[in-house]
Amino acid sequence: MNTSARTRPASARPNLTAYAFLAPVAILVMLFFIIPALLVIYISMTDLATANFTSDVAQMTFIGLKNYETLFKDPFAHKIFFNTVFYVLVTLSLFNVGGALVVSLLTAHINRRAGFFFRALWLLPRLMTSTVYILMWERMVADPPFGILNQLFDVAGYDSVAFNTNHVWTFVILVNGIIGISFGMIIFTSAIESISKDIMNASLVDGSTSMQRIRYVILPLMRWPLLFVLSYQTLSLLTSYEEILLFTNGGPGVYQTEVWALTAFHRALSNYFGNAQWGYGSAFAVVLVIVGIILAVLYLRIFRFRELVSEPKIENL
C-alpha cells in the first residue's frame, strides 16, 4: 500500500476534531445570524407593514426591489447617510480609535498604579445603564435654569448657551465616544504592554525619541489590535443607535441627528404614525449590512490581512 495513502486518515483526524469543536458555533451562527439575515433580506423585498401584517412568510407580498427604489428616492436619505458618515468618522477619530490609542500610549508610560486608576475612570460610563447615563447628560446640557453647564456659565458671568439645539452633534459624539473609548483603550494597552522589553530597550540604546519609538516600534507591532478595534468599532457605530435614540431621538428638527440604523428602527418598529413598515425598514438594514461588509473588506486590504496571518519568514526575522 502506498505510504501516503496509509498516512492520510491519520493526518485528516485533527481536522475532523477541529470541525467537531467548531460545529456547535457554526450551528448557532446559522440559526441566529444567517437565517435571520436571509429573512430580513426577503422581508426587505415585501410590503409587510402594520396594515397587512402576517407572520406567514408565504403570504407576504413580494415586491422585488421597490423598497430600495423608494429608499434611494427618499429626500431625506442623503441627509441621513451623511449624518452617519460624519458621526462614524468623527467618533472613531476622536474617541473610539484615536482617543483610545492616545490614552493607552500615555498611561503606558506613567506610574503603573496611576495608569490603572486613570484607565479605570474611563470604564465607568460603560458600566452604567444607558438610561441613567443619558439622563445625566440631559441634565448637564439642559436649558437654563436646570442645565448644570449653564448654571456654571451663569456663575462665571457668561451668557447661557442652547446646547440642545446649537451644539447637539458635539454632545451626541461626546456621549457615544466616552463610552466607546474604553474598549479600544483596553485592547491597545494590552498590546503595548506585551511588546518585548528587549525591543524597547534596543530602540532606547539607538537613541530614539518617544515619538520615534511610537512611529517605528510600537505602531508597526500593533497592526493586529488596530485592525480589530477599527473594524469592530466601525461596525458598532454603524449599527448602534441606542444612545442617540435616548438622547435626541434623531432631532431636534428634521433628522438633524438621525443616523441610518436609527432610521431602520424608526421605519420598521417605531413609526411616528403607528404604521410600522417592516419591509421598508428592512431595506435600510440590508443597505447598512452591505456597507459594513464593504468597509470590513477594505480594512482587511489596508492592513494587509494575509501578511498578518501568514507564517513569519526567516528573512524577515
Side-chain angles (χ1 to χ4, degrees), residues 85-111:
V85 171
F86 172 77
Y87 164 67
V88 172
L89 283 180
V90 176
T91 311
L92 277 178
S93 304
L94 298 182
F95 292 96
N96 293 25
V97 176
L101 187 59
V102 171
V103 171
S104 303
L105 289 168
L106 290 175
T107 55
H109 291 84
I110 61 176
N111 177 274

Side-chain angles (χ1 to χ4, degrees), residues 291-312:
V291 171
I293 292 172
I294 292 172
L295 288 175
V297 172
L298 189 64
Y299 287 153
L300 293 178
R301 286 186 173 276
I302 291 173
F303 282 84
R304 292 178 290 185
F305 181 70
R306 286 189 178 181
E307 285 184 18
L308 288 174
V309 297
S310 63
E311 291 185 10

